[in-house]
Amino acid sequence: MIAKKEYIFEGVPVQVVRRPRMKNIRVKVVPPYGDVELSCAPGVRNYEWSAVLREAWQGIMAARERFLQGCGERIAADGGRCFLWGKAYEMKVVFTEHAHFARLVDGHIVLAVPPGSGREQMEDCLYELYRRELERAVTEIFPKCEQITGLSAKEVRLKRMKTRWGSCNIKEKRVWLSLNLAKKPPECLAYVIIHELVHLLEKNHTPKFHALVAGFYPEWQQAEAWLRGECR
């Protein structure tokens, strides 16, 4: 019989799955959230799988972060390429002492930043565009997802996340969404919102949880593919 239990390792949830026929300890990073899953035999002790996890941890964290990277995204002073709602756009950087902004203009993303700005300042400017776009989309899509699931959150907030697409504070009924979702097709936003709302019913990623998500969002496999970086 397969047994599952969630542990916190280095501040990250790890799903330990004990399978009767497992001979080795295997670790994988699961889309779309970069969840860490470790499979081992029932008799493997915690310190044994912890040692394997610790040895592979750097690579695991790198894999988790790749889930949130845009396909071929590049930000540089001479322009580059970024993604907005699943579409690739060439960027134009304009250095100006006056208005500072990021906008979609004539099929390009224009970044207006102060002279001498580096990649970090340009990225901050771009994320302000992502925030505006996501705020607009959430206003429209979130109520629809609540209607589909019959579940309601008291609050939804946006922030930059390095290793997750979203999270849910069950006690406060607060949903957090990653600003990186603005890079992905709008369907991904709906999928992630539904995913987080279902946590209000089922705390962990159990078979019941996944069945509920699939029932509310039948196109979940396509959304996961886009979240893995398989852009339109």
Side-chain angles (χ1 to χ4, degrees):
M1 184 176 180
I2 297 176
K4 297 183 180 182
K5 187 174 180 179
E6 191 169 88
Y7 295 85
I8 301 298
F9 187 91
E10 299 291 337
V12 176
V14 175
Q15 185 87 346
V16 176
V17 183
R18 298 185 181 274
R19 305 178 187 274
R21 296 184 181 181
M22 285 292 297
K23 294 182 178 180
N24 301 314
I25 298 174
R26 297 179 182 176
V27 184
K28 64 180 180 180
V29 181
V30 183
Y33 290 88
D35 296 321
V36 181
E37 182 180 296
L38 181 145
S39 298
C40 62
V44 174
R45 297 184 179 183
N46 288 358
Y47 75 85
E48 293 177 303
W49 63 254
S50 294
V52 172
L53 200 60
R54 194 174 304 280
E55 184 176 351
W57 198 243
Q58 186 174 352
I60 291 168
M61 290 298 97
R64 279 168 60 86
E65 189 163 351
R66 282 197 294 273
F67 280 107
L68 292 181
Q69 295 298 317
C71 308
E73 182 177 79
R74 186 177 74 88
I75 301 174
D78 60 348
R81 186 171 72 154
C82 64
F83 291 82
L84 181 64
W85 299 125
K87 296 181 180 180
Y89 292 93
E90 296 299 319
M91 288 195 302
K92 294 182 177 180
V93 179
V94 178
F95 293 101
T96 172
E97 294 284 4
H98 306 293
H100 304 138
F101 59 82
R103 293 177 188 165
L104 178 59
V105 181
D106 296 330
H108 292 80
I109 299 292
V110 177
L111 299 185
V113 294
S117 294
R119 187 183 189 282
E120 184 176 348
Q121 287 77 20
M122 295 177 199
E123 192 173 69
D124 288 343
C125 185
L126 182 60
Y127 269 90
E128 285 305 310
L129 171 63
Y130 290 156
R131 181 178 293 277
R132 294 196 307 271
E133 288 287 321
L134 206 56
E135 285 175 347
R136 175 188 56 78
V138 166
T139 300
E140 177 183 348
I141 295 175
F142 205 92
K144 293 180 181 179
C145 293
E146 289 181 314
Q147 185 177 8
I148 290 170
T149 61
L151 300 166
S152 297
K154 290 183 178 178
E155 186 179 17
V156 56
R157 295 184 183 181
L158 312 176
K159 67 177 178 180
R160 290 168 73 167
M161 298 183 184
K162 290 185 177 181
T163 58
R164 299 186 72 85
W165 294 108
S167 64
C168 179
N169 184 319
I170 298 172
K171 183 179 179 180
E172 300 295 332
K173 298 185 72 173
R174 179 186 301 123
V175 169
W176 287 92
L177 298 173
S178 170
L179 290 175
N180 287 293
L181 283 166
K183 300 178 184 180
K184 300 296 182 179
E187 295 89 340
C188 293
L189 175 59
Y191 171 63
V192 172
I193 291 172
I194 286 175
H195 182 112
E196 300 307 335
L197 286 173
V198 171
H199 276 303
L200 297 174
L201 282 179
E202 190 73 10
K203 179 180 179 181
N204 297 317
H205 294 143
T206 62
K208 179 182 177 181
F209 173 89
H210 291 296
L212 286 168
V213 173
F216 292 135
Y217 199 90
E219 302 83 8
W220 64 272
Q221 289 178 309
Q222 178 63 83
E224 284 193 359
W226 284 326
L227 290 171
R228 285 196 300 268
E230 300 168 15
C231 296
R232 273 178 167 171

